[in-house]
Amino acid sequence: PTAMPRTAMPDATSTAPMDRFDFTLPDFTRLAWVSDRAQEVWQPRLARITTAWMEIEWRAVLAGVRRCALTMVSPEEFMTRGADWAGEGLNALPVEMAGVSGQPYSATGVPYRPGEPFVFRFVIGRPADVVEFKQAWDDADQEVIGNLLGYPSCCREFFRRVWVDDAMVDTTWPMAVATAGATNGTATLDVEGPPESNILWRWMGVRAVPHLPCRFDCAATVALADQLVAVGRDCGHGQEMDWLLEILSWPAEWSALHGIAEVKTPVVKVSTRTDATPRKYVVRRHGTSAPDEALQGLSFPFEVPVKLRLTATRGFRKGLENMVAVDGPRPAWYASDNGFSSVAAMEDAHRPIVDLATHTLGGRGGAVLDLGCGNGALLEKVVQAVPGAVPHGIDVEPARIAHARLLHPAYAANFMVGDLLDDAQLWPGDRRYALAILMPGRLIEAGPARRGPLLERLRTRCDEVLVYAYGDWLERRGSLRELAAAGGLAVVDRAPERRAALVVTGGAPRRTPR
């Protein structure tokens, strides 16, 4: 049949839509190595990275990085892997049966045919999360599915527009447009970005995140990737993580024409399926390094790579982590993330909170939870004052959590984006906190019904609860004691001028403050 052209509609982030035909080729992936030496060195490394990634996917649930993970296993594999998951306290529920593709990456699943080899698609997680995921899967609720899998909200919205609404099978072009910007008629784009958000190696089983990022420089994607790489190192895959980040730092070129995409890298070329287009589209991602086995030539990506500007390199970002984690000049967001006009103003507001937290913990350390942590600046001071204190935080703003992970690189996995009132990932298993920190205005805003479960958790899962307030909240309520009472909490210290105090949740003190 004659293929009719169609156009992906432009939106707020895309001004260069693709001209597309209304047909799609069957899914396929073919690899061609640039040399025998390149294949000898890198093919086994790709296999080890892919194997490590399969473990990282579900171990990230154990680490609290995400609530659920998806994986494909055969019935025979499940006999072993199911026992591993159960041994770690995780449930595995099949949500789909599929045919065997034999490809490291498939944009669409292979239909199950009776009598042929098949695999199960399992969702892995805590029991309640698995039940919630299954319901979302049955309802085709992509937003809930993406949230349970830990995908950043910006990338979930991108996926909805590009994959669901525009029915594209390859998100590379709109991802590049969102990164570099373009006008109608543009067919070649040059992009830059951190290696962690480079998704061009996904057809070879090499990726630092499980989702399709919205941009080649998506900050939320990089923050998630850093956590997943840390999980990989913790479970013994340090060498694989080094190779992963090295590969993703190489230059790569993606091109699309007539439904076939070619991905050229310094060591291997991949041919695969993409959206069918009447003309050629090209995306070039500039890298910062190349392997010894790279093919050398005059055309991209076989040229000697030109280094990115300093601020785009991983080394610079690691330097930023070091800068914000110690005394010294602070980035502008250090105070503004938390609603303060200056670092001095924030230090003054935090001082009574840190003093009381330090006195309460008494030098014994333990897990400290900040409910509404902003960028983690308050927890940074507590950790510095109390040896052995382990910070945990949650905030609704992804940018603030990304900054918190920079301030606390050793505990990046302990900071999560979510609603402090009902996010179950804060309370896995029988986890307790030595101290929880909360501004009670959040409880007042929620109302009695929504705050009830959190108050119960504070009562039963926290040794101590510290509340604080400053600014408008204190002015409206008159005192911290009155503010806490309106949120369902009872202040232990009755001094009305306090900006920080210990509380109990049931109306009567459990103990006197130390």
Side-chain angles (χ1 to χ4, degrees), residues 227 383 388-393 404-405 407-416:
Q227 293 185 79
V383 170
V390 177
H392 295 256
R405 290 164 181 161
L407 286 175
H408 301 269
Y411 300 103
N414 293 355
F415 290 86
M416 58 196 69

Side-chain angles (χ1 to χ4, degrees), residues 2 7 13 94 99 135 143 166 175 194 200 204 207 261 267 271 276 287 299 354 358 361 414 420-421 432 482 487 494:
T2 301
T7 301
T13 61
Q135 184 62 57
E143 174 63 21
D166 286 344
M175 181 182 174
L200 294 179
M204 293 82 93
R207 56 199 303 172
V267 297
S271 300
S299 62
V354 175
T358 303
L361 291 169
N414 293 355
L420 63 89
L421 286 156
R432 293 187 61 83
E482 295 298 328
R494 302 291 177 172

Side-chain angles (χ1 to χ4, degrees), residues 316-341:
F316 179 86
R317 290 186 291 108
K318 293 302 291 184
L320 176 62
E321 292 175 11
N322 292 336
M323 180 188 78
V324 299
V326 298
D327 292 336
R330 296 291 190 169
W333 50 257
Y334 185 68
S336 61
D337 273 356
N338 302 311
F340 294 96
S341 59

Side-chain angles (χ1 to χ4, degrees), residues 54 60 74 94 169 173 182 205 214 270 301 342 423 425 489 494:
M54 293 175 66
S74 68
V169 298
W173 180 254
C214 60
V270 178
S342 68
D423 206 311
Q425 59 186 325
L489 301 165
R494 302 291 177 172

